[in-house]
């Protein structure tokens, strides 16, 4: 019998699925999984990885990444963010569309794909942005061009010439379109619904935040609790409520980004029980931190929506366990040390996350919060199915893309900001001890990370949803 030829063999590992875990050997050829066996095949293999004692997962997917590229690349760029992704066991990222220029039409989408392709150490999808009347006619074209989904920054103003988002809108600002009113938002729901793709919303009620923040500022409130008083759970709850009502009427596949509140998750759970295609994600900072942590972590943990209370954290863990939350993502949004060093009120919201997401979630397995099978659902299969990438992504089976994350569940590691691969290294998790670490990241059959070190040049590929291929 002739021996077969393969590019890579991952042998002796424990392959993890949402229901099961079994010992097996994975043979890879031309970027695809070619065979999965109990025994070693008679074959010529280019490279062998012995995964004995390790767990082998379908490659982790991070659906929510802001690499600032093009735009504020002094904070981060795709070359660094995708190295950070690979170092954290992530094989695919979805890049958010609020770049400069934004991904608001097909021309900018194609330019962005070309820009990112040369810098990608992992695979990537690209979101399209919804800017109301400014680009409503572009949604169908963006859908056919291959965006991964559509994002709407609910409650944010837009600069009328550059189309950049204005985070702290004040009436009377020059060349600024105020946050869109509900009628126009409803039309966005209708237009995206026609494409059948995800309509993802940043859910915070601008009007309420403006009014409450003004009250806090009037009394010189400057603490973290004051910040939460100005951006309360109600701000998320009201917007999720409106979004669900509009989704019910339009049939849109509504997805709530970075859910942070018990109230928000309960609304999503109720809509799902009624049979509507409404989904939600959350992020490690909402799962592992709460308002009580501010005193010892400080401004690094300022994000929008803000990290709330212990009761919210507990509700989010419950929602992970009962399936209300479809997946976990990072909302990777770096700023420089200098930008984050100011007063809580004036510094920008956001931090690094793509490199620390998987270690934090793996540590939660070791602490008994979730199972090892939940990891597959939350970081691999769940996002792959939601964004129509399954079964090419999110699963270890013959014919699937050879995107694989090998994990040592016994390895202990301390997260250190100066060791992060991002350009800016601001994180709320500096000094956190974790047990469970991605040891190798394999993208399209190529090893791109081993023991925390990046190997070789960028070889990540652009990916579009199956329906758009």
């Amino acid at each position: 019998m002739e021996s077969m030829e393969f590019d890579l063999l991952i042998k002796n590992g424990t392959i993890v699925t949402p229901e099961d875990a079994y010992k097996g050997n994975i043979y890879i050829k031309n970027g695809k999984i070619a065979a999965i066996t109990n025994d070693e095949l008679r074959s010529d293999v280019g490279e062998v990885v012995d995964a004995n004692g390790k767990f082998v997962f379908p490659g982790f997917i991070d659906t929510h990444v802001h690499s600032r590229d093009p735009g504020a690349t002094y904070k981060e760029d795709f070359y660094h963010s995708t190295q950070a992704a690979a170092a954290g066991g992530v094989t695919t990222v979805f890049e958010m569309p609020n770049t400069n220029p934004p991904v608001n039409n097909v021309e900018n989408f194609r330019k962005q794909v070309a820009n990112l392709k040369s810098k990608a150490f992992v695979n990537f999808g690209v979101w399209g942005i919804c800017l109301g009347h400014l680009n409503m006619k572009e949604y169908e074209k963006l859908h056919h061009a291959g965006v991964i989904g559509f994002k709407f920054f609910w409650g944010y103003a837009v600069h009328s010439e550059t189309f950049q988002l204005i985070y702290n809108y004040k009436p009377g600002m020059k060349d600024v379109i105020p946050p869109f009113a509900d009628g126009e938002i409803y039309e966005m729901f209708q237009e995206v619904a026609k494409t059948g793709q995800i309509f993802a919303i940043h859910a915070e009620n601008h009007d309420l935040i403006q009014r409450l923040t003004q009250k806090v500022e009037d009394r010189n409130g400057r603490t973290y609790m004051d910040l939460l008083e100005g951006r309360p759970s109600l701000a998320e709850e009201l917007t999720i409520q409106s979004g669900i009502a509009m989704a019910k009427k339009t049939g849109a596949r509504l997805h709530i980004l970075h859910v942070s509140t018990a109230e928000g998750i309960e609304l999503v759970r109720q809509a799902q029980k009624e049979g509507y295609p409404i989904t939600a994600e959350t992020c490690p900072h909402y799962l592992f931190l709460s308002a009580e942590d501010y005193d010892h972590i400080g401004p690094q943990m300022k994000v929008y929506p803000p990290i709330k209370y212990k009761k919210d954290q507990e509700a989010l863990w419950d929602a992970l366990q009962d399936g209300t939350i479809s997946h976990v993502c990072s909302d990777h949004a770096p700023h420089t040390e200098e930008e984050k060093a100011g007063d809580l009120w004036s510094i920008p919201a956001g931090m690094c996350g793509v490199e620390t997401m998987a270690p934090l979630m793996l540590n939660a397995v070791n602490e008994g919060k979730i199972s090892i099978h939940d990891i597959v659902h939350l970081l691999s299969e769940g996002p792959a199915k939601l964004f129509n990438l399954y079964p090419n992504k999110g699963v270890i089976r013959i014919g699937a893309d050879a995107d694989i994350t090998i994990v040592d569940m016994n390895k202990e590691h301390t997260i250190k900001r100066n060791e992060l691969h991002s350009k800016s290294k601001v994180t709320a998790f500096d000094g956190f001890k974790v047990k469970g670490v991605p040891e190798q990241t394999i993208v399209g059959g190529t090893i791109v990370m081993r023991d925390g070190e990046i190997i070789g040049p960028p070889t990540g590929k652009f990916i579009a949803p199956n329906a758009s291929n």
Side-chain angles (χ1 to χ4, degrees):
M1 179 180 156
E2 276 186 47
S3 71
M4 294 168 279
E5 287 187 12
F6 298 100
D7 304 320
L8 180 65
L9 162 61
I10 302 165
K11 68 177 188 178
N12 302 326
T14 300
I15 299 165
V16 191
T17 76
E19 300 83 30
D20 196 11
Y22 60 94
K23 291 278 279 195
N25 302 315
I26 302 170
Y27 291 83
I28 293 165
K29 188 173 176 65
N30 298 330
K32 298 275 187 186
I33 295 171
I36 303 169
T37 68
N38 286 326
D39 307 311
E40 284 198 41
L41 299 173
R42 261 183 67 131
S43 59
D44 295 325
V45 177
E47 190 168 5
V48 178
V49 171
D50 190 347
N52 191 31
K54 311 296 192 306
F55 289 88
V56 181
F57 291 89
F60 299 149
I61 299 169
D62 190 344
T63 62
H64 196 143
V65 171
H66 298 268
S67 301
R68 320 284 192 204
D69 191 343
T73 48
Y74 66 93
K75 302 180 197 229
E76 180 70 299
D77 58 34
F78 208 60
Y79 184 81
H80 286 85
S81 69
T82 54
Q83 287 186 64
V90 171
T91 58
T92 300
V93 298
F94 297 170
E95 183 62 19
M96 281 295 172
N98 56 320
T99 42
N100 189 4
V103 184
N104 59 333
N105 58 42
V106 171
E107 184 190 356
N108 282 349
F109 168 74
R110 290 193 174 130
K111 279 183 185 164
Q112 178 63 321
V113 171
N115 168 46
L116 300 182
K117 207 176 259 182
S118 62
K119 307 168 185 176
F121 284 85
V122 301
N123 298 321
F124 66 97
V126 175
W127 286 88
I129 198 165
C130 292
L131 297 172
H133 64 275
L134 298 171
N135 78 327
M136 221 175 290
K137 291 189 170 65
E138 302 293 328
Y139 300 170
E140 191 71 30
K141 298 173 196 166
L142 281 164
H143 162 61
H144 289 299
V147 293
I148 205 74
F150 291 91
K151 178 164 183 184
F152 171 50
F153 292 81
W154 201 313
Y156 286 37
V158 181
H159 194 281
S160 60
E161 289 171 11
T162 64
F163 304 129
Q164 292 304 290
L165 298 170
I166 311 291
Y167 296 92
N168 297 303
Y169 171 74
K170 296 278 190 281
M173 280 180 162
K174 191 174 180 307
D175 299 324
V176 171
I177 297 163
F180 298 111
D182 284 356
E184 198 161 347
I185 294 170
Y186 182 68
E187 287 179 346
M188 285 189 257
F189 269 84
Q190 287 179 310
E191 288 305 306
V192 176
K194 290 176 189 171
T195 70
Q197 284 196 267
I198 288 286
F199 185 65
I201 61 166
H202 177 118
E204 286 190 293
N205 183 289
H206 164 78
D207 199 49
L208 183 75
I209 290 169
Q210 286 278 79
R211 182 61 60 99
L212 296 182
T213 299
Q214 191 60 56
K215 282 188 167 180
V216 172
E217 286 179 343
D218 287 348
R219 62 169 174 76
N220 285 324
R222 279 289 180 270
T223 68
Y224 192 77
M225 291 305 171
D226 292 324
L227 183 81
L228 291 186
E229 201 176 307
R231 295 182 96 93
S233 298
L234 182 62
E236 182 172 276
E237 187 181 359
L238 288 172
T239 305
I240 291 176
Q241 220 164 21
S242 298
I244 288 173
M246 292 188 193
K248 285 178 176 180
K249 288 286 184 289
T250 59
R253 289 176 63 207
L254 176 62
H255 181 70
I256 318 296
L257 299 161
H258 41 50
V259 175
S260 67
T261 63
E263 294 85 354
I265 212 66
E266 191 47 47
L267 288 166
V268 172
R269 184 180 282 120
Q270 198 47 49
Q272 290 174 352
K273 278 182 184 156
E274 292 168 22
Y276 291 99
I278 289 162
T279 51
E281 68 189 32
T282 196
C283 311
H285 37 273
Y286 303 117
L287 293 168
F288 297 99
L289 302 173
S290 66
E292 292 88 336
D293 293 306
Y294 185 81
D295 285 347
H296 70 271
I297 290 177
Q300 284 87 343
M301 70 178 255
K302 182 182 176 182
V303 291
Y304 287 159
I307 294 159
K308 309 294 195 307
Y309 304 100
K310 269 271 187 271
K311 74 169 180 67
D312 300 294
Q313 188 187 69
E314 286 159 12
L316 292 170
W317 281 109
D318 289 345
L320 283 190
Q321 279 145 1
D322 72 14
T324 305
I325 288 174
S326 63
H327 64 281
V328 171
C329 56
S330 71
D331 193 6
H332 179 78
H335 298 286
T336 65
E337 301 276 349
E338 296 74 29
E339 287 170 323
K340 275 292 208 183
D343 153 69
L344 172 64
W345 226 245
S346 56
I347 61 170
M351 62 170 149
C352 292
V354 70
E355 190 166 344
T356 52
M357 173 180 73
L360 288 163
M361 296 306 295
L362 294 165
N363 187 63
V365 174
N366 276 317
E367 289 185 342
K369 286 193 170 84
I370 50 174
S371 77
I372 201 155
H373 309 290
D374 292 330
I375 291 286
V376 182
H377 178 68
L378 294 169
L379 297 184
S380 307
E381 188 178 292
K385 283 184 169 174
L386 186 64
F387 289 90
N388 289 335
L389 299 175
Y390 189 86
N392 295 328
K393 309 280 184 205
V395 64
I396 292 176
R397 68 160 70 149
I398 292 168
D401 294 342
D403 294 347
I404 291 167
T405 306
I406 302 174
V407 167
D408 185 341
M409 286 302 293
N410 293 316
K411 188 171 183 179
E412 296 183 3
H413 174 70
T414 301
I415 295 169
K416 296 187 179 123
R417 64 193 295 160
N418 62 332
E419 291 176 1
L420 296 179
H421 289 73
S422 287
K423 214 176 202 184
S424 301
K425 302 178 192 299
V426 171
T427 172
F429 297 109
D430 186 38
F432 269 58
K433 290 182 167 54
V434 294
K435 186 178 178 184
V437 177
E439 194 177 71
Q440 296 200 43
T441 305
I442 295 162
V443 178
T446 300
I447 299 168
V448 296
M449 183 278 284
R450 185 184 285 124
D451 296 326
E453 297 298 315
I454 304 301
I455 299 167
T459 55
K461 292 186 169 60
F462 165 71
I463 51 168
N466 296 334
S468 304
N469 285 342

